[in-house]
Amino acid sequence: MMSRRSVLRVAGAAGIGSATVGAGAAPAFAAPARAGAAFAHPGMLHTQADFDRMAAKVKAGSGLWKQGYARLAANPRSASTWKANPLATVVRGSAGDNVTTLAFDIAAAYQNALRWKVTGDTAHADAARDILNAWSAKLTSLEGSADRFLAAGLQGYQFANAAEIMRGYDGFDLARFQKMMVNIFYSMSSDFLTGHNGAYDSNYWSSWDLLSVACVLSVGILCDDRAKVDEAVTYFRSGKGMGSIKNAIPFLHPGGLGQMVEVGRDQGHALLSVGLLGTICEMAWNQGIDLYGYDDNRVLKGIEYAAKWNLGHDVPFTSWSWHKGAPGAWEGWETFTKASAWARGSVRPIWEGLYNHYVNRRGLDAPYVTEIAAKARVEGGGGDYGTGGGLDHLGFGTLAFTRPRAIVSATAPTPSAKAGAGRSSSGDLSSSATPAPGASDGVNPQGGARTDLAATGGGGIAAVAGAGVLALAGGFIALRRRGAGGS
């Protein structure tokens, strides 16, 4: 445990390892350009073939699909009577925090869109359309602490997925929605990946990068913008921050295990990263880009590691050190020596898509993912797991991703690298850093351009310098601010 005066480990920042976490960032790819290739629509988390499968299986009353749809229909945000509550300004992480209003409306839009695709009931389509139109007509900004980037990424990729389902539906103003997504959600997420809010590139944990990548990728698909898709894919493969795949999963161990950096932090955020990896990889896959299999199935090795630990098994662990802070402001170092027990065994609706890809779609062995997916089944969503981390994922994977075993080959085409993407200010593709001897925990507030660098982590975990953990329940950590005496 860190000093009581230290910045909490759950503060939203991530690190470079003393065993050179981040040093192995891969060079940007120079694959043949796909600029002329047409986008597949619908083509984010779900394709038309997926909707056809869901509809047929639910109509036939088949097993897991029937159970999955029942879970979806039972969620209050799946009702066609849901009315939007759009806001001009959404705030996360500071006074006036109202991001849950946005998150619930997005869940309602997605869930009603999904119910329409499964049942054909246009009352649900009308509800989804009206929610999306209401927000694109009113939202002008995302504000708050550094957490505003969490809102941009998490709610951004979810909003885009709901809109992708509704593409072409009568009365849906896609052009206005696309404009909102580019000007607000994409611009903030892309800016975060480029500048990390004025902090060291290693300051933010992998989940911050991954949710930003998910947003950039989804907006690229929604807007038929190849450059944005390339930006996301290139960052995933070779970005300078901790969301780059070799920085997020820096150490490989025997037995097909890849150590995820977030597992050393706490399991709420480790599972957030697992879910985001699945989201990114599935959206890319549906556009003909195989990130699931990238670097010899590195994602599979990472999620097997996280699943094994959260199932209660021991895992190997390579110590690493985290460099945090902002240039010219403050910096600190912290060393992680073992997997964290915080929130171990938490449940999130994240495993069905990963299990069904690697085992049923690709025919690979994933014993721990298989076990934890069965344990979490039937997956819900839309607040079923609380209003913290439970709103980080769209959920309902048992309905959406369950598929008969039918092995397919990996997709071959990949986008070309965007010039300069993933490079540091010096132009060096490496993101390595050397820890200072005897480095200690930073005690300075982690604040963005000097004052809000990392107020929280993803998933509704509020954390500030000088905060104390009160409880761990429902997938998020409740905290209290310490008094002047530091008790």
Side-chain angles (χ1 to χ4, degrees), residues 207-230:
S207 53
W208 288 70
D209 271 1
L210 290 171
L211 58 89
S212 299
V213 169
C215 179
V216 171
L217 177 60
S218 64
V219 174
I221 296 169
L222 184 71
C223 298
D224 293 295
D225 190 325
R226 183 63 59 187
K228 289 179 175 58
V229 171
D230 287 0

Side-chain angles (χ1 to χ4, degrees), residues 7-8 11-13 203 322 324-325 330 444-448 451-455 465:
V7 178
L8 286 178
N203 183 72
W322 160 33
K324 52 193 175 182
W330 73 279
N444 305 62
Q446 299 189 48
T451 59
D452 67 340
L453 289 183

Side-chain angles (χ1 to χ4, degrees), residues 22-27 237-240 244 246-247 429-431:
R237 289 172 166 156
S238 58
K240 56 190 178 180
S244 175
K246 290 187 180 181
N247 293 341
L429 283 168
S430 173
S431 59

Side-chain angles (χ1 to χ4, degrees), residues 110-324:
Y110 171 76
Q111 290 165 211
N112 272 283
L114 196 55
R115 290 191 74 180
W116 166 55
K117 282 292 190 178
V118 172
T119 68
D121 186 345
T122 57
H124 291 293
D126 290 347
R129 174 200 62 201
D130 292 348
I131 295 167
L132 298 175
N133 282 345
W135 277 92
S136 68
K138 190 165 185 177
L139 184 66
T140 58
S141 65
L142 299 178
E143 299 179 4
S145 67
D147 286 14
R148 64 191 182 278
F149 294 108
L150 300 179
L154 291 169
Q155 275 63 65
Y157 91 77
Q158 294 173 0
F159 236 160
N161 268 274
E164 177 74 357
I165 299 174
M166 298 308 301
R167 178 187 290 271
Y169 187 73
D170 187 36
F172 174 42
D173 194 336
L174 176 61
R176 189 176 71 195
F177 195 89
Q178 290 170 323
K179 182 178 179 180
M180 175 190 72
M181 294 303 299
V182 171
N183 292 344
I184 300 175
F185 294 91
Y186 164 78
S187 64
M188 291 181 65
S189 294
S190 179
D191 180 69
F192 180 81
L193 293 174
T194 300
H196 287 116
N197 199 28
Y200 291 114
D201 291 325
S202 57
N203 183 72
Y204 288 91
W205 292 90
S206 61
S207 53
W208 288 70
D209 271 1
L210 290 171
L211 58 89
S212 299
V213 169
C215 179
V216 171
L217 177 60
S218 64
V219 174
I221 296 169
L222 184 71
C223 298
D224 293 295
D225 190 325
R226 183 63 59 187
K228 289 179 175 58
V229 171
D230 287 0
E231 177 185 356
V233 171
T234 298
Y235 196 96
F236 180 91
R237 289 172 166 156
S238 58
K240 56 190 178 180
M242 296 309 294
S244 175
I245 192 61
K246 290 187 180 181
N247 293 341
I249 307 171
F251 308 114
L252 301 182
H253 299 284
L257 300 175
Q259 182 178 318
M260 295 181 67
V261 291
E262 296 266 22
V263 171
R265 176 193 188 191
D266 69 76
Q267 301 319 303
H269 291 95
L271 297 185
L272 170 61
S273 290
V274 168
L276 290 167
L277 286 170
T279 293
I280 292 165
C281 290
E282 186 66 14
M283 291 192 297
W285 176 273
N286 287 331
Q287 294 299 328
I289 306 162
D290 186 14
L291 298 182
Y292 281 117
Y294 178 69
D295 194 32
D296 192 26
N297 293 305
R298 199 176 191 96
V299 168
L300 174 58
K301 294 169 185 176
I303 64 173
E304 276 284 280
Y305 183 92
K308 183 176 183 179
W309 177 248
N310 279 278
L311 284 166
H313 305 294
D314 291 335
V315 291
F317 194 92
T318 298
S319 296
W320 62 278
S321 292
W322 160 33
H323 183 203
K324 52 193 175 182

Side-chain angles (χ1 to χ4, degrees), residues 324-352:
K324 52 193 175 182
W330 73 279
E331 66 180 319
W333 294 84
E334 181 182 349
T335 298
F336 295 85
T337 61
K338 62 182 179 180
S340 173
W342 289 6
R344 189 179 186 187
S346 294
V347 178
R348 289 189 179 219
I350 58 176
W351 297 106
E352 290 281 35

Side-chain angles (χ1 to χ4, degrees), residues 353-402:
L354 291 159
Y355 161 72
N356 275 281
H357 173 79
Y358 284 112
V359 176
N360 286 343
R361 183 191 270 156
R362 296 287 290 114
L364 303 176
D365 290 330
Y368 299 109
V369 169
T370 298
E371 182 179 350
I372 204 167
K375 187 176 180 180
R377 195 171 289 136
V378 172
E379 287 183 355
D384 287 340
Y385 303 84
T387 57
L391 292 172
D392 291 343
H393 317 281
L394 289 168
F396 303 104
T398 303
L399 167 67
F401 300 117
T402 297

